[in-house]
Amino acid sequence: MAVRPILHYPDKRLRIPGKPVKDFGPEFQQLVDDMAETMYAAPGVGLAAPQIGVSLRLFIIDTATGEDEPSDLRVFANPEILSSEGEVYFDEGCLSFPGAREEVVRNERVRVRAQDRHGETFELEADGLLAIAVQHEHDHLEGELMIDKLGVLRRRLLHRAMLKRAAAEARAAKSPPKEAMG
Ligand code: NI
């Protein structure tokens, strides 16, 4: 298993829609394991394949965030949101927007059909954090991001903050911190 680098906004690869998963073989199993390790290391509640530069219709979610809670990893390959209802406001974060938290409106409940890591089809009725995570991760598969859900002003502010962050990261990469020298 390996932690893969997570792409940060405004990386254009985040905008590439995922292609259907057709092969559930060893390479796919490795990908799912790597995604899980990457998500837990971050840490995050969910991770979509396009966030590590893999254009597939695949995301994983684990809403068991408490230290004493056993992990509850769910794999969604080729997911389809069958129905959705209700409305809820939630402060969302995204591993591709480090440090950002934005209030986004989502459906309160969703019914989703997907395939698990072995290609078995399942249906799931989700509410609470799981429903929000399903919608957030599903957006990633369409190349849609949290920032697209915001009003003009907040979108502009977040965009600028992310550009600033990317520039600072690029500068830091060019000149390593002093403690790393000698
Ligand atoms: Ni995200």
Side-chain angles (χ1 to χ4, degrees):
M1 298 220 286
V3 171
R4 310 247 195 132
I6 296 173
L7 305 181
H8 292 165
Y9 178 90
D11 195 306
K12 289 195 171 62
R13 287 170 288 176
L14 290 168
R15 294 299 191 182
I16 305 172
K19 293 191 186 73
V21 177
K22 288 180 182 154
D23 185 351
F24 291 82
E27 216 173 294
F28 178 79
Q29 300 305 318
Q30 183 67 57
L31 172 64
V32 170
D33 287 344
D34 285 359
M35 282 176 65
E37 199 176 342
T38 304
M39 177 181 76
Y40 290 128
V45 166
L47 183 71
Q51 290 183 277
I52 55 164
V54 176
S55 297
L56 282 178
R57 296 188 66 78
L58 166 69
F59 60 75
I60 59 170
I61 291 175
D62 189 344
T63 54
T65 49
E67 271 179 30
D68 301 328
E69 272 178 276
S71 74
D72 180 23
L73 182 69
R74 295 166 192 266
V75 176
F76 298 78
N78 303 320
E80 270 177 273
I81 294 181
L82 303 174
S83 62
S84 50
E85 58 175 35
E87 213 177 68
V88 63
Y89 287 84
F90 191 80
D91 266 341
E92 286 185 20
C94 176
L95 295 176
S96 294
F97 291 82
R101 285 237 154 237
E102 294 288 344
E103 190 178 68
V104 174
V105 60
R106 297 285 184 188
N107 288 116
E108 209 175 350
R109 278 176 297 282
V110 294
R111 183 156 192 88
V112 60
R113 182 195 292 144
Q115 284 164 279
D116 67 15
R117 69 180 299 162
H118 306 294
E120 296 292 327
T121 301
F122 66 92
E123 276 188 29
L124 175 75
E125 184 102 35
D127 60 10
L129 181 57
L130 181 58
I132 289 162
V134 163
Q135 293 167 80
H136 178 110
E137 301 309 332
H138 188 266
D139 279 353
H140 276 297
L141 308 187
E142 309 293 341
E144 283 169 27
L145 302 170
M146 188 172 89
I147 195 168
D148 307 333
K149 306 263 174 221
L150 307 179
V152 179
L153 182 62
R154 278 162 64 212
R155 198 185 313 161
R156 210 174 283 164
L157 287 173
L158 181 56
H159 176 72
R160 256 187 238 157
M162 289 299 129
L163 289 187
K164 222 170 158 185
R165 193 190 164 97
E169 274 170 10
R171 269 199 308 276
K174 255 186 228 164
S175 55
K178 282 199 182 85
E179 59 269 27
M181 289 184 201

